[in-house]
Amino acid sequence: MVSAGRIIAIVSPESAPIKRIIQDAKDSGNLIDATYGRRTRAVVIADSGHIILSAIQPETVANRITGTGDAASQQAACEEDAEEAENE
């Protein structure tokens, strides 16, 4: 669990600057890997300088934090994440 008020950004892990941020956090001990061995799909940047890796799509993480989106779209996103995890 992460406090929603502490989150600065939720981004995709593909870009080179984000990959550098992840490596710097790993080197400094500020990386939290919450992927449980699955592929990283979202990177959450906290105001404390911690970087959190998630196996959930950035849009899904944002919707869960803000509470936006209807139940059907949230359920569809969860099912999509589960299906992609099974394929890994």
Side-chain angles (χ1 to χ4, degrees), residues 38-69:
R38 294 177 292 190
R39 191 178 84 168
T40 300
R41 296 175 193 259
V43 178
V44 179
I45 303 172
D47 64 354
S48 61
H50 287 89
I51 305 299
I52 304 145
L53 305 181
S54 172
I56 300 172
Q57 295 287 351
E59 296 82 13
T60 305
V61 175
N63 286 340
R64 290 181 185 180
I65 290 170
T66 61
T68 60

